[in-house]
Amino acid sequence: MVDEHTRNARLDLIRAQTDHLRVETASKQRELDHKNASDNLRIYHFPSYIVPESIDTCIEIVQHWLAMNDAPVTIALNSPGGSVFEGWALYDFIADRVEAGAAIDVTTYGKVASMAGVVLQAGRVRSMHRHSYFMAHEVSAFLEGMLSVQSMKNQLKFSEDLQNDIETVLVSRANPEKITKESLHDKTLNRDWWLTAVEALDYGFIDHIAQ
């Protein structure tokens, strides 16, 4: 026969297991609610560096939303930039689908710097929130190891080609009366060129200031 102490211990265990199950169920429900809310809002927050892992997640989720229906999708950037090549991958993903008719808009909170500013240009509609900042600068050239003079020249030429591509995209939708490739190059030569949202709008790097 089970004594009272053992019975109470078993009851306490059952209560603990029930409480754990209740918490676990509530947690899973919150995750499901969050996913459903994200699916309904279709706003992907990108608050990180542009690296393979961050763009892979972004692309996977945006593709999921596009497969669901034709409703607009917004990518909200708050990024200091990152890899040039991963930035181009995300830019091309967005731009290709926008050209095919997908409604992918890009907005910014906080900062949109370096390659993140290039990604911004791919959006169907480009916007910045009022206290966010835009930054453009030169591509960094990485010269590693014992390189011959010709190897250094080749790497520098490659960096110049990347810089040319970036400048071409940045001015492609900008206000030609305010900024050209040549003036952009001068403004970003050996420095970080920061703009407020109002200034970015004036130069034509965005279409409007988001509310």
Side-chain angles (χ1 to χ4, degrees):
M1 185 173 179
V2 178
D3 60 32
E4 184 176 353
H5 178 74
T6 302
R7 183 167 58 251
N8 289 338
R10 288 179 177 177
L11 287 174
D12 288 342
L13 178 60
I14 292 171
R15 291 191 190 99
Q17 290 173 333
T18 302
D19 288 343
H20 175 74
L21 181 60
R22 186 182 298 114
V23 170
E24 189 177 61
T25 301
S27 176
K28 289 182 178 179
Q29 184 60 50
R30 283 194 299 271
E31 290 179 5
L32 180 60
D33 291 343
H34 179 72
K35 180 181 181 301
N36 290 337
S38 296
D39 285 347
N40 291 331
L41 292 173
R42 297 163 73 89
I43 300 175
Y44 183 81
H45 292 278
F46 194 110
S48 63
Y49 285 91
I50 295 175
V51 294
E53 294 79 9
S54 62
I55 72 159
D56 286 349
T57 301
C58 178
I59 289 173
E60 180 181 354
I61 291 176
V62 171
Q63 283 183 321
H64 165 69
W65 288 338
L66 294 177
M68 290 173 61
N69 54 56
D70 296 331
V73 169
T74 299
I75 298 174
L77 297 170
N78 180 11
S79 173
S83 165
V84 172
F85 303 108
E86 307 311 324
W88 281 129
L90 185 55
Y91 173 90
D92 285 342
F93 168 78
I94 299 168
D96 289 349
R97 280 148 187 81
V98 168
E99 290 175 8
I104 305 177
D105 301 331
V106 182
T107 191
T108 73
Y109 292 90
K111 61 187 171 298
V112 57
S114 191
M115 279 307 291
V118 176
V119 172
L120 172 63
Q121 305 308 308
R124 179 192 63 162
V125 177
R126 307 160 300 159
S127 65
M128 294 174 62
H129 283 74
R130 56 187 174 177
H131 292 126
S132 57
Y133 284 80
F134 175 98
M135 189 272 278
H137 61 184
E138 288 183 290
V139 170
S140 297
F142 297 98
L143 305 178
E144 299 179 349
M146 299 293 291
L147 300 176
S148 66
V149 171
Q150 187 58 51
S151 293
M152 287 189 289
K153 287 181 179 179
N154 291 342
Q155 290 200 28
L156 288 171
K157 174 63 167 58
F158 181 61
S159 295
E160 289 172 354
D161 290 342
L162 289 176
Q163 184 67 33
N164 180 68
D165 289 344
I166 288 171
E167 291 170 352
T168 297
V169 167
L170 286 176
V171 302
S172 63
R173 299 170 66 181
N175 182 348
E177 296 181 0
K178 292 285 186 177
I179 195 77
T180 63
K181 278 185 67 174
E182 291 75 19
S183 62
L184 175 63
H185 184 81
D186 291 341
K187 289 179 182 297
T188 58
L189 188 63
N190 296 321
R191 73 184 184 103
D192 296 340
W193 185 43
W194 287 94
L195 300 174
T196 65
V198 172
E199 290 169 334
L201 177 63
D202 187 46
Y203 278 105
F205 293 127
I206 58 173
D207 302 304
H208 69 91
I209 296 177
Q211 299 295 323

